[in-house]
Amino acid sequence: MAPLPVVYEDEDIIVIDKPSGLAVQGGERVSRCVDDLLAEQLGAKAFLVHRLDKDTSGLLLVAKTREAASRWSPLVAGGSVRKTYLAVCSGTPSPASGSIDDPVEKGGRSQEALTHYRTLASRGDFSLLELDLGTGRMHQIRIHLAGVGCPILGDDKYGDFPLNKRLKKERGLKRLLLHAYRL
């Protein structure tokens, strides 16, 4: 595999542009992951500061040392590092901008979750949204947008399955259209 694209690097951290379909961490049925690939690329262990879903592409901040990870992780978790995403969705949310403050279920319990959104463009049955996380729950953006009737195109877990199938056949859509574009 080609080296992971580096967007920023200094002595403490590296920001990569993670491709869709690549898991961040190893696990069952994961043969390649950012953890391992970046360690090979850097020639040393890398320390994840936050995560992105396997199917989400975009910017991922990784620390080069354990000490740097201990400094950066609380900043990301505490909201000092703003994470902004772009998503192409079915439909347009109403109102065109606002916040979704609905809990997300994880492991049988409900967790607070907040997503701020803004419609950047809308054409026909689709819209381009910019999203900022108030919290960082697993699949939060995907769950929230599906919950307001604007599922992300290509979402095989929370999406509009017949629409995704049609778009795959007609347009070659093969991935989740969610991208972490700004840190």
Side-chain angles (χ1 to χ4, degrees):
M1 178 174 192
L4 294 168
V6 175
V7 176
Y8 174 83
E9 183 174 7
D10 66 22
E11 62 278 349
D12 288 333
I13 61 168
I14 186 167
V15 177
I16 63 161
D17 186 5
K18 184 189 90 61
S20 175
L22 178 63
V24 173
Q25 288 182 294
E28 192 174 318
R29 293 177 291 179
V30 175
S31 59
R32 295 184 331 190
C33 63
V34 169
D35 249 0
D36 296 338
L37 294 171
L38 200 52
E40 289 173 21
Q41 191 170 322
L42 295 173
K45 181 173 172 55
F47 300 85
L48 296 172
V49 173
H50 67 104
R51 313 284 188 276
L52 290 176
D53 292 344
K54 176 182 178 181
D55 296 325
T56 302
S57 63
L59 301 179
L60 183 69
L61 189 145
V62 181
K64 291 180 169 181
T65 65
R66 191 176 309 281
E67 296 76 23
S70 68
R71 285 193 308 273
W72 280 92
S73 292
L75 295 173
V76 172
S80 296
V81 174
R82 182 176 162 202
K83 296 182 280 186
T84 306
Y85 296 77
L86 294 174
V88 180
C89 304
S90 172
T92 303
S94 181
S97 64
S99 298
I100 304 167
D101 188 3
D102 289 327
V104 170
E105 295 290 323
K106 182 179 178 188
R109 63 186 186 106
S110 191
Q111 295 182 313
E112 243 182 75
L114 177 63
T115 303
H116 307 287
Y117 68 91
R118 182 168 66 103
T119 304
L120 299 177
S122 185
R123 177 181 258 171
D125 294 332
F126 306 108
S127 58
L128 173 65
L129 303 182
E130 180 180 73
L131 305 122
D132 286 305
L133 296 178
T135 55
R137 308 294 181 218
M138 184 173 13
H139 298 170
Q140 174 180 320
I141 293 172
R142 296 165 69 179
I143 293 167
H144 275 170
L145 290 177
V148 298
C150 296
I152 300 171
L153 299 184
D155 191 337
D156 63 0
K157 188 164 182 124
Y158 307 99
D160 181 332
F161 308 120
L163 175 62
N164 288 340
K165 186 176 181 178
R166 190 182 93 222
L167 290 173
K168 183 176 184 177
K169 182 179 178 184
E170 294 175 4
R171 303 287 182 174
L173 178 65
K174 296 179 182 173
R175 61 171 292 251
L176 177 71
L177 297 185
L178 179 61
H179 181 74
Y181 89 104
R182 183 172 42 201
L183 280 174

